[in-house]
Amino acid sequence: MAQSKANDSIGKKMNRPISFVKVTTQYENVGDCLINRELIRLLAERSDVYLDTKNCPVEFANQIHSVLEHSQQNYKILQGSFYASMLRARLRQRDCFWFLMPGGITGKGKIGSSFKTLATDLPLRINHALGVKICQVGASFGNMSQQHINLWRQRRKFFYVFSPRNHLLQSKFNVESVMDIHQDIEKCLAFYRTVNFVVSNRLHVLLMAASQGARILALTGSKPGDQSSGAKLRGLLMDLGLEQAILDHNQFASDNLNVHKFPGFVVTASQQQSRLRQAFDALLSSSFSNSTNNPISKTN
C-alpha cells in the first residue's frame, strides 16, 4: 500500500489547502470510525490531507486509509512529528487547517495545575500564532464541570471554527469568562492579539483591539444628533475614517447580531500610524520654526 500520494515540494495542486488530522480514539468503536472516516472523506475532496494514525487501532487506521486510497486526491500518512509537519507547511506558506476529532468530550473532575493546562494548550497556542486554522467540528460536550466549561470558553479564541454537535451544546460556550487585565497595558494588548472579532460600545476597547489586528464593530446605539456617549463614539470614528466599523442603530437588535451579516472592519494600523506621525511632525516642526524666528514668543 502506498504510504503517500502527496508531494512536499511545490506541485500542481499547491493552491489547495492542507488539512491535518491526528486520529486518536479511546475505544475500538465502529461509530467513531465512521464519523472520522466521513470527516476525512469530506476533507480529501477539498484539500490535501496529512493524516496521523499512529495512536489508534490498526483496524481503525486501515479503514480510514482506504478512504484516502480511493479519493484520487493528494494525501500523506505522517510517520514523523505531526506538529513539525504543520510547521514545515506553514513555512512554505501553505494554507493549513488542523481538524480536531469529532466525538465526545467530557470533564467531570477538577482541572490540574495552571502549568499542566498551559502545557496541554501549548500546541493550540503555537499553531494559532503560526496561522494554522484550528477547527473543532461535531464535538459533543457532556458531563462537564463548570471549571472545564470555563476552560473551553478560554480555548475558543484559538479556534477558527468551534462547532459543537447541537445548539444546546453551543450555548454552554457562548459567554467568555471575565478577564481583569485593566492594571497591565501589555497584558491587555496581548489579550487582544488573541481575539479575531470585537464588538463594543467603548472607544478604548475598539482602538486597542483594532491596533492588534482584530476586526471591530462599534455599537453606538444612538441616533444622529444625539448628545450621548454613543454619538461621540460615532463622530470620532467618522473623523478617523472608520465609519465602516459603525453599526447603525437601525441595523441591529442585541439578540439578532450575526457576524456573517456584520463581519466587522479591519483597521489598517500602518495608515493610522502614518497619519499620527505626520500630524506630530507638522506640529513640532512648526513649533521649532516659530520659536527660532520669534524668540520673544517663548513662554517664561
Side-chain angles (χ1 to χ4, degrees), residues 107 111 144-151 153 172:
I111 294 174
M144 299 190 74
S145 68
Q146 189 60 48
Q147 280 186 310
H148 280 87
I149 291 174
N150 291 338
L151 177 61
R153 285 175 178 168
K172 291 182 179 181

Side-chain angles (χ1 to χ4, degrees), residues 66-87:
S66 66
V67 172
L68 295 174
E69 288 182 349
H70 291 92
S71 68
Q72 301 300 311
Q73 305 290 351
N74 279 9
Y75 72 90
K76 181 175 183 179
I77 307 300
L78 296 174
Q79 301 299 326
S81 169
F82 180 80
Y83 301 116
S85 297
M86 270 199 291
L87 174 59

Side-chain angles (χ1 to χ4, degrees), residues 209-252:
S211 75
Q212 303 305 306
R215 293 176 292 123
I216 61 171
L217 202 57
L219 300 182
T220 60
S222 61
K223 299 180 181 179
D226 285 353
Q227 297 302 311
S228 64
S229 59
K232 294 177 183 178
L233 174 59
R234 175 189 294 270
L236 192 148
L237 291 174
M238 291 180 69
D239 287 347
L240 291 175
L242 305 180
E243 57 271 9
Q244 294 181 60
I246 299 172
L247 191 61
D248 187 83
H249 71 285
N250 290 321
Q251 291 180 298
F252 79 99

Side-chain angles (χ1 to χ4, degrees), residues 257-270:
L257 183 62
N258 188 313
V259 296
H260 299 291
K261 187 176 180 181
F262 304 107
F265 181 72
V266 177
V267 178
T268 306
S270 59

Side-chain angles (χ1 to χ4, degrees), residues 5-300:
K5 288 187 179 179
N7 192 329
D8 284 342
S9 62
I10 299 176
K12 63 180 180 180
K13 294 188 177 180
M14 187 62 181
N15 60 325
R16 281 163 60 94
I18 302 177
S19 294
F20 288 85
V21 186
K22 188 180 182 70
V23 183
T24 57
T25 180
Q26 186 177 356
Y27 308 104
E28 295 183 10
N29 187 314
V30 69
D32 279 354
C33 187
L34 174 63
I35 292 171
N36 284 276
R37 189 185 71 176
E38 295 310 305
L39 169 64
I40 291 166
R41 188 195 305 276
L42 290 169
L43 298 179
E45 292 171 354
R46 296 161 176 82
S47 64
D48 296 343
V49 174
Y50 283 22
L51 189 66
D52 184 343
T53 56
K54 295 189 293 293
N55 294 315
C56 70
V58 174
E59 297 82 4
F60 192 118
N62 288 340
Q63 293 180 70
I64 293 177
H65 293 172
S66 66
V67 172
L68 295 174
E69 288 182 349
H70 291 92
S71 68
Q72 301 300 311
Q73 305 290 351
N74 279 9
Y75 72 90
K76 181 175 183 179
I77 307 300
L78 296 174
Q79 301 299 326
S81 169
F82 180 80
Y83 301 116
S85 297
M86 270 199 291
L87 174 59
R88 286 193 294 269
R90 285 300 298 144
L91 291 176
R92 296 196 305 273
Q93 299 185 332
R94 296 292 298 270
D95 193 15
C96 295
F97 290 78
W98 174 14
F99 282 86
L100 276 64
M101 285 183 61
I105 297 176
T106 60
K108 297 180 181 179
K110 292 183 178 180
I111 294 174
S113 66
S114 57
F115 177 78
K116 184 178 179 180
T117 300
L118 178 62
T120 301
D121 289 350
L122 194 58
L124 295 176
R125 293 173 179 271
I126 292 175
N127 286 287
H128 172 75
L130 289 172
V132 175
K133 298 172 182 177
I134 305 171
C135 304
Q136 177 75 76
V137 295
S140 177
F141 295 86
N143 298 320
M144 299 190 74
S145 68
Q146 189 60 48
Q147 280 186 310
H148 280 87
I149 291 174
N150 291 338
L151 177 61
W152 275 93
R153 285 175 178 168
Q154 294 174 25
R155 286 174 175 162
R156 278 190 59 188
K157 57 180 174 285
F158 303 123
F159 286 84
Y160 180 72
V161 169
F162 186 81
S163 179
R165 194 168 291 174
N166 61 62
H167 76 280
L168 296 178
L169 298 169
Q170 180 77 297
S171 64
K172 291 182 179 181
F173 307 102
N174 60 5
V175 178
E176 298 288 348
S177 55
V178 175
M179 295 186 65
D180 186 357
I181 49 178
H182 74 280
Q183 294 181 340
D184 192 316
I185 294 173
E186 295 306 320
K187 282 186 179 179
C188 190
L189 293 175
F191 168 75
Y192 283 118
R193 285 195 291 273
T194 69
V195 178
N196 295 320
F197 184 36
V198 172
V199 181
S200 180
N201 63 350
R202 305 299 295 175
L203 175 64
H204 293 170
V205 169
L206 294 167
L207 294 182
M208 283 191 288
S211 75
Q212 303 305 306
R215 293 176 292 123
I216 61 171
L217 202 57
L219 300 182
T220 60
S222 61
K223 299 180 181 179
D226 285 353
Q227 297 302 311
S228 64
S229 59
K232 294 177 183 178
L233 174 59
R234 175 189 294 270
L236 192 148
L237 291 174
M238 291 180 69
D239 287 347
L240 291 175
L242 305 180
E243 57 271 9
Q244 294 181 60
I246 299 172
L247 191 61
D248 187 83
H249 71 285
N250 290 321
Q251 291 180 298
F252 79 99
S254 60
D255 61 348
N256 193 33
L257 183 62
N258 188 313
V259 296
H260 299 291
K261 187 176 180 181
F262 304 107
F265 181 72
V266 177
V267 178
T268 306
S270 59
Q271 292 180 0
Q272 297 299 329
Q273 186 180 57
S274 177
R275 291 176 61 187
L276 188 63
R277 289 180 179 275
Q278 289 174 15
F280 274 86
D281 286 344
L283 185 155
L284 294 175
S285 63
S286 174
S287 174
F288 177 76
S289 176
N290 289 338
S291 63
T292 301
N293 296 330
N294 187 13
I296 65 172
S297 66
K298 183 177 179 180
T299 301
N300 292 321

